[in-house]
Amino acid sequence: QVQLVESGGGLVQAGGSLRLSCAASGSIFSINAMGWYRQAPGKQRELVAGITNGGSTNYADSVKGRFTISGVNANNRLYLQMNSLKPEDAAVYYCNAALVGPPGARYGMDYWGKYWGKGTLVTVSS
């Protein structure tokens, strides 16, 4: 079992920055990959950024160059540094953790983890 708790959400102006944190507890040494997903009203939940325990990362095209994911092997906390925020970034952001991935599959692209946090709300004003 893995427990995930997000924090760091809030209200920021467009162009501003915010850093989200995800504290993981439980079977943290079994985590293979973690990531951030977001869901805006009326929209599907989508991958924002993912990172594996090998250090590989992937990002949604819409956030490349603006967001940076880090953590996993460094400690028991996952981070998402968000810069140059846009109104379309507003959403509830969820932390996700995967213990096992299908062979050859790419986390966040081909599969995701079974463990989720409750989310943290990010609001971006124009």
Side-chain angles (χ1 to χ4, degrees):
Q1 290 289 321
V2 175
Q3 295 79 46
L4 305 172
V5 180
E6 304 96 335
S7 63
L11 173 64
V12 297
Q13 290 187 313
S17 298
L18 203 62
R19 188 169 84 153
L20 305 183
S21 297
C22 174
S25 61
S27 302
I28 59 175
F29 297 110
S30 298
I31 294 176
N32 174 258
M34 297 184 72
W36 290 95
Y37 292 72
R38 67 187 182 189
Q39 187 167 27
K43 300 294 183 65
Q44 298 180 52
R45 186 173 299 189
E46 64 175 355
L47 173 74
V48 177
I51 184 169
T52 70
N53 59 8
S56 63
T57 60
N58 62 87
Y59 296 88
D61 289 341
S62 60
V63 307
K64 288 181 179 177
R66 299 189 297 120
F67 292 9
T68 302
I69 188 170
S70 62
V72 185
N73 288 335
N75 49 40
N76 62 349
R77 190 174 293 268
L78 180 72
Y79 301 98
L80 182 68
Q81 179 65 47
M82 305 185 293
N83 298 325
S84 302
L85 283 162
K86 304 175 180 179
E88 51 262 45
D89 293 319
V92 176
Y93 283 70
Y94 298 91
C95 183
N96 176 254
L99 302 185
V100 178
R106 299 166 297 172
Y107 174 78
M109 302 295 290
D110 303 315
Y111 77 101
W112 56 88
K114 67 181 294 183
Y115 300 103
W116 295 92
K118 293 183 178 180
T120 184
L121 179 63
V122 172
T123 303
V124 184
S125 61
S126 300

